[in-house]
């Protein structure tokens, strides 16, 4: 661990809860508006500057009391050890209303438990393995379409890829361009409508005045609604006996024979269309862009692919050995977590990390802030996949005298708190698609990197915050490494 690590700030826990020591340190904003405008201008900058005030930092914005949490042990407390004392809460539920209030990501209590149990069957290890071929075939097809020297909008291309994978694997469906465009428009419209920037605009406008962003959101959601209704009706009209997720939902039945309501069916589909593609596309986009800017990491990746894949596309059997590939995916999500904060609200006034949290406070567990904190990460702003390998400086490990792929493993620093890294959340409500996403990230990176390398066209990152951390239209130039099958 680094000597620069500065130790805990104010009242942080040492794993056990201490009695409350007082109110929260706060970021003081403007009268009435609080920090609304500064967050609207620069949400990530706001998180970074709030971190200087302590481990649990209060602020108000958008008419809500928030507390940003930067202490990994407090994150563990909220998500895992005292999870039943915290609900998704009003802020998160309000966000859910925009997307899918009856979907598994936003329901609570018994309704959530039943939904999660039902959907879990699509995410068992065996099921995920059965999706691997689809993930590789789609990634190969994507990279095979690119010409040498072509400029590619990474975000656009990879969103298209992850949506195709999702519908092919989970829905057993070929998604044509029209349907993909409907989902893309809705995704973009929700992201714009849910962004801190838009919240800031709306908080200074009268409620009766719909903004253009609101109108676009409503039109895009109406199109999505028709698409989802059509998907369900078609599957019911053909054969809904399959084991895929769309058939499961078209049958609309829990294992004990109870029925899902039409709103629940619709909202699960919408949930998966969003949660299942936009997040992974974000992670892949940042990973490819980071790779494009680091020739040492790129070469190391190529050495791993040559050793593990031996001139053909990866398969499920290679996943274990794609260690460096996994380290790249992890490191990209450390620096640029697709979900920048996980929200919870205590059921009653409580104590966290030695601080009193009043009832009604929305806790914002800051993946972005914690995963870039120099107390847990050496040189936190640096892209260093090696930090994930068992024996840190592994550059050159494939050279003569290195251990070879079988000698490597992913290992977290034992001195680092577990929740210093939580891109998939944690506890009972951890990401249902975590294994799906990690498998897809590794297979897609390996399959694409066998065919092409990228050079950056867009020099600097300027991410914004929407539903996910939006990398914007990052452009790269393609360098082909192999000939396409058709050449
Ligand atoms: C890199 C990709 C992904 C990231 C970073 C990510 C992140 C997250 C996070 C942080 C949560 C927890 C939210 C909370 O506790 O409030 C979550 C929940 C969820 N994710 Fe993901 N996710 C990813 C991919 C996926 C995929 C591929 C799927 C489905 C195919 C998926 C489906 C879900 C669902 C259904 C939930 C709600 C679970 C519940 O509340 O029980 N996610 N995700």
């Amino acid at each position: 661990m680094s000597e620069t690590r500065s130790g805990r700030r104010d009242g942080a826990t040492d794993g056990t809860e201490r009695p409350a020591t007082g109110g929260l340190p706060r970021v003081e904003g403007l009268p009435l508006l609080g920090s609304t405008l500064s967050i609207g201008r620069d949400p990530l900058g706001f998180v970074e500057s709030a971190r200087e005030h302590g481990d649990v930092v209060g602020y108000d914005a958008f008419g809500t009391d928030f507390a940003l949490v930067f202490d990994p042990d407090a994150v563990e407390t909220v998500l895992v050890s005292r999870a039943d004392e915290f609900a998704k809460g009003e802020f998160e539920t309000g966000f859910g209303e925009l997307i899918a209030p009856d979907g598994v990501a936003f329901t609570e209590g018994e309704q959530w438990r039943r939904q999660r149990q039902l959907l879990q069957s699509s995410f068992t290890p065996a099921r995920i393995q059965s999706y691997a071929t689809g993930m590789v075939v789609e990634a190969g097809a994507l990279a095979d379409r690119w010409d040498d020297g072509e400029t590619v909008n990474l975000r656009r291309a990879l969103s298209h890829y992850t949506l195709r994978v999702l519908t092919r694997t989970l829905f057993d469906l070929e998604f044509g361009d029209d349907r993909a465009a409907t989902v893309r428009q809705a995704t973009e419209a929700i992201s714009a409508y849910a962004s801190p920037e838009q919240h800031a605009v709306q908080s200074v406008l009268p409620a009766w005045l719909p903004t253009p962003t609101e109108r676009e959101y409503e039109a895009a959601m109406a199109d999505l609604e028709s698409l989802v209704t059509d998907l369900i009706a078609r599957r019911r009209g053909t054969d809904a006996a399959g084991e895929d997720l769309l058939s499961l939902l078209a049958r609309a039945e829990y294992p004990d024979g109870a029925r899902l309501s039409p709103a629940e069916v619709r909202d699960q589909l919408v949930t998966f269309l969003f949660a299942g593609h936009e997040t992974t596309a974000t992670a892949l986009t940042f990973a490819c862009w980071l790779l494009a800017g680091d020739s040492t990491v790129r070469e190391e990746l190529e050495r791993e692919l040559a050793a593990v894949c031996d001139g053909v596309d990866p398969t499920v059997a290679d996943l274990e050995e794609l260690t460096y590939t996994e380290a790249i995916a992890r490191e990209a999500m450390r620096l640029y977590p697709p979900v920048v904060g996980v929200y919870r609200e205590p059921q009653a006034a409580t104590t966290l990390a030695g601080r009193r949290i009043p009832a009604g406070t929305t806790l914002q567990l800051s993946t972005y802030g914690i995963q870039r904190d120099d107390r847990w990460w050496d040189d936190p702003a640096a892209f260093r996949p090696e930090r994930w390998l068992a024996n840190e400086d592994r550059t050159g490990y494939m050279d003569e005298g290195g251990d070879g792929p079988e000698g490597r493993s992913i290992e977290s620093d034992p001195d680092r708190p577990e929740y210093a890294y939580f891109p998939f959340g944690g506890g009972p409500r951890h990401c249902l698609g975590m294994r799906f996403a990690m498998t897809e990230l590794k297979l897609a990176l390996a399959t694409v990197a066998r065919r092409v390398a990228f050079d950056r066209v867009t020099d600097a990152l300027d991410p914004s915050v929407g539903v996910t951390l939006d990398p914007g239209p990052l452009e790269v130039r393609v360098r082909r490494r192999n000939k396409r099958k058709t050449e």
Side-chain angles (χ1 to χ4, degrees), residues 79 88 92 103-107 112 116 119 123 166 170 245 268 271-272 274-284 333 336-344 367 422-426 428-438 440-441:
L79 293 181
K88 286 253 163 172
E92 184 80 346
V104 66
F106 297 106
T107 49
W112 165 75
R116 177 128 184 160
L119 298 165
F123 295 93
L166 182 91
L170 287 185
L245 195 70
Q268 307 312 335
T271 300
F272 284 97
F274 285 114
H277 98 281
E278 197 54 12
T279 42
T280 320
T282 301
L284 264 178
M333 285 192 288
Y336 300 104
V339 177
V340 294
V342 173
Y343 293 89
R344 290 293 186 275
T367 44
F422 61 111
F424 293 103
R429 297 202 75 145
H430 75 273
C431 175
L432 183 55
M434 177 172 78
R435 217 179 281 130
F436 182 109
M438 282 311 294
E440 185 175 10
L441 286 172

Side-chain angles (χ1 to χ4, degrees), residues 152-426:
V152 168
N153 175 335
L154 271 181
R155 171 51 175 248
R156 177 65 52 103
L158 294 171
S159 284
H160 193 74
Y161 162 71
T162 54
L163 185 59
R164 282 189 65 86
V165 167
L166 182 91
T167 53
R168 176 180 175 141
T169 57
L170 287 185
F171 298 177
D172 192 16
L173 198 72
E174 272 280 312
F175 232 47
D177 287 349
D178 283 1
R179 285 171 165 172
T182 303
V183 176
R184 192 180 61 240
Q185 269 155 17
T187 309
E188 285 172 4
I190 288 181
S191 228
Y193 191 47
S195 69
E197 204 181 344
Q198 175 66 13
H199 273 301
V201 170
Q202 283 183 288
S203 56
V204 293
L205 284 180
W208 52 263
L209 187 66
T211 61
T213 309
E214 186 175 352
R215 278 197 232 104
E216 275 161 32
Y217 156 79
E218 274 170 5
M221 286 309 278
D223 289 346
L224 185 70
E225 178 88 39
S226 318
L227 168 68
V228 164
T229 311
D230 182 54
L231 287 179
I232 296 164
R234 279 172 193 253
R235 186 56 57 92
R236 282 185 181 146
T238 51
D239 176 16
E243 286 306 309
D244 64 282
L245 195 70
L246 180 57
S247 301
L248 198 74
L249 291 170
R251 291 200 291 275
E253 207 174 88
Y254 286 109
D256 63 3
R259 306 285 297 167
L260 280 93
S261 72
E264 280 180 301
V265 172
R266 168 213 173 269
D267 282 7
Q268 307 312 335
L269 270 189
V270 172
T271 300
F272 284 97
L273 282 172
F274 285 114
H277 98 281
E278 197 54 12
T279 42
T280 320
T282 301
L284 264 178
T285 302
F286 282 115
C288 288
W289 193 83
L290 288 163
L291 264 176
D294 193 320
S295 55
T296 311
V297 172
R298 170 79 219 182
E299 281 159 23
E300 207 59 32
L301 172 64
E302 286 173 13
R303 274 198 282 273
E304 172 164 285
L305 297 182
V308 175
C309 301
D310 198 17
V312 290
D313 278 331
T315 67
V316 88
D318 298 322
L319 279 170
E320 189 96 341
E321 292 205 326
L322 289 172
T323 321
Y324 196 72
T325 315
E326 179 169 335
I328 291 170
R330 282 174 176 249
E331 181 68 348
M333 285 192 288
R334 181 186 69 78
L335 281 169
Y336 300 104
V339 177
V340 294
V342 173
Y343 293 89
R344 290 293 186 275
E345 193 179 309
Q347 312 266 24
T350 189
T351 302
L352 190 66
R355 296 286 177 183
R356 265 188 231 114
I357 309 287
T361 306
T362 298
L363 297 173
Q364 187 181 346
L365 313 176
S366 180
T367 44
Y368 187 84
I370 292 176
Q371 294 178 182
R372 285 168 169 259
D373 189 327
D374 69 0
R375 288 175 295 173
W376 326 120
W377 306 97
D378 295 336
D379 197 4
F383 174 58
R384 273 189 22 213
E386 287 73 27
R387 68 171 93 237
W388 292 99
L389 301 180
N391 182 1
E392 260 231 29
D393 184 13
R394 307 302 295 243
T395 307
Y397 63 85
M398 298 294 295
D399 297 347
E400 216 177 318
D403 309 2
E406 63 288 345
R408 276 168 289 141
S409 61
I410 294 282
E411 197 173 274
S412 289
D413 184 333
D415 294 335
R416 185 182 297 135
E418 190 182 350
Y419 279 80
Y421 184 72
F422 61 111
F424 293 103

Side-chain angles (χ1 to χ4, degrees), residues 20-38:
T21 54
L24 297 177
R26 292 187 71 79
V27 177
E28 292 305 338
L30 298 169
L32 296 176
L33 287 173
S35 298
T36 299
L37 298 182
S38 10

